[in-house]
């Protein structure tokens, strides 16, 4: 779930994707945004018809639906982009944020991934700092790349955005589980400084940790925050929308 920033997401002149324009507009408005995850054209169409303002194309769900496999780095860039095209053909207007995982390689791969997702119609892309092969954020045994590489991935995504890929960059860190809450907070602050549009710490374990993300200062204070709650064993408390809103999501 996303809540508008304490500030605003900057608009660029003459954006090429009306779904991106709509997502920026939603993030400037007051209130929390509820976005269920989709994994194919049918699920996205059902979410759109149900009246939700946006949806998230989950890598976890797409790997399960398309491959019948767990979220352990098995699904490829091309399969994700192909699913994204199907989702946009099946829907008419809903903004879709796509799971870009680690960007599928180095900084150049990240830029290619961002451009490919923009061409497929996505309004946003999530880029994370896990070491490959990555896994679902709520599973154990994860590793993250160095601070320098993590920030370089976000900078590469932002550079692609500034070069014309009309979508928002959602910067995710898995450092809460891999290292510490303090490291996760350092990383989201650095991601905001690098130009990320939306911030996300995956697998937060308590309401206090969720508040600490929302209370982050500096450049992070003006970025909307994303909360991800997984039913059936996820680490993050499942809270009602109003409570999340009151926290600052």
């Amino acid at each position: 779930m996303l809540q508008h920033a304490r500030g605003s997401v900057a608009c660029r002149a003459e954006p090429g994707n009306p779904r991106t324009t709509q997502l920026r507009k939603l993030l400037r408005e007051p209130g929390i945004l509820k976005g269920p995850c989709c994994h194919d054209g049918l699920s996205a169409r059902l979410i759109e018809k149900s009246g939700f303002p946006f949806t998230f194309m989950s890598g976890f769900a797409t790997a399960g639906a398309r491959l019948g496999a767990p979220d352990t780095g098995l699904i490829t860039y091309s399969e994700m982009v192909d699913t994204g095209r199907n989702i946009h053909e099946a829907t008419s207007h809903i903004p879709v944020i796509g799971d870009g995982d680690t960007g599928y390689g180095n900084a150049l791969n990240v830029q290619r991934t961002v451009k490919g997702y923009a061409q497929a119609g996505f309004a946003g892309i999530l880029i994370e700092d896990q070491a490959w092969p990555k896994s679902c954020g709520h599973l154990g045994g994860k590793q993250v790349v160095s601070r320098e590489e993590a920030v370089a991935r976000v900078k590469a995504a932002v550079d692609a955005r500034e070069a014309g890929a009309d979508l928002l960059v959602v910067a995710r860190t898995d450092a809460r589980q891999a290292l510490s809450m303090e490291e996760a907070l350092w990383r989201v602050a650095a991601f905001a400084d690098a130009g990320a549009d939306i911030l996300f710490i995956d697998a937060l374990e308590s309401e206090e940790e969720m508040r600490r993300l929302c209370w982050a200062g500096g450049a992070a204070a003006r970025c909307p925050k994303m909360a991800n709650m997984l039913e059936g064993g996820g680490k993050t408390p499942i809270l009602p929308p109003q409570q999340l809103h009151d926290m600052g999501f």
Side-chain angles (χ1 to χ4, degrees):
M1 296 184 178
L2 308 176
Q3 197 251 349
H4 68 97
R6 295 182 179 90
S8 64
V9 176
C11 287
R12 292 163 193 81
E14 299 181 359
N17 184 353
R19 302 199 198 205
T20 306
T21 301
Q22 176 63 11
L23 182 57
R24 290 193 182 100
K25 178 176 180 291
L26 289 168
L27 289 169
R28 289 195 300 268
E29 295 175 351
I32 198 163
L33 302 176
K34 294 180 286 185
C37 290
C38 65
H39 56 268
D40 62 6
L42 178 58
S43 59
R45 181 179 290 181
L46 291 171
I47 290 167
E48 182 177 70
K49 287 185 175 293
S50 296
F52 287 97
F54 84 102
T55 182
F56 180 83
M57 192 190 87
S58 160
F60 177 96
T62 304
R66 181 157 180 154
L67 304 181
D71 184 21
T72 54
L74 297 175
I75 198 159
T76 64
Y77 160 80
S78 59
E79 289 169 319
M80 291 292 285
V81 168
D82 182 59
T83 301
R85 292 193 189 100
N86 292 339
I87 285 172
H88 287 93
E89 288 176 5
T91 57
S92 63
H93 63 271
I94 190 170
V96 185
I97 297 174
D99 190 346
D101 288 329
T102 64
Y104 304 101
N106 61 20
L108 290 176
N109 294 100
V110 172
Q111 291 189 336
R112 176 175 184 255
T113 298
V114 172
K115 292 174 184 176
Y117 274 48
Q119 290 167 358
F122 286 103
I125 183 170
L126 181 148
I127 297 293
E128 66 188 58
D129 62 356
Q130 280 197 57
W132 196 264
K134 53 90 62 189
S135 68
C136 171
H138 292 257
L139 299 178
K142 289 184 302 302
Q143 295 182 332
V144 291
V145 297
S146 68
R147 286 180 172 184
E148 293 75 16
E149 185 173 349
V151 174
R153 287 179 184 176
V154 175
K155 285 182 176 178
V158 170
D159 286 346
R161 182 197 68 198
E162 296 301 324
D166 187 30
L167 78 180
L168 302 184
V169 175
V170 183
R172 160 181 159 174
T173 180
D174 285 81
R176 168 61 190 92
Q177 295 300 316
L179 297 171
S180 68
M181 184 63 187
E182 286 67 30
E183 179 65 16
L185 289 169
W186 186 95
R187 291 186 180 219
V188 292
F191 296 163
D193 287 336
D197 297 296
I198 298 166
L199 302 176
F200 175 31
I201 299 177
D202 203 10
L204 295 170
E205 292 191 354
S206 67
E207 294 181 26
E208 176 60 26
E209 290 184 355
M210 297 169 80
R211 291 189 186 92
R212 290 182 71 187
L213 168 60
C214 292
W215 294 344
R222 55 180 171 75
C223 292
K225 313 302 189 300
M226 178 175 174
N228 171 40
M229 285 151 290
L230 180 66
E231 295 176 324
K235 295 182 181 295
T236 303
I238 297 177
L239 304 176
Q242 186 59 49
Q243 188 172 350
L244 290 166
H245 176 274
D246 292 343
M247 285 179 172
F249 286 101

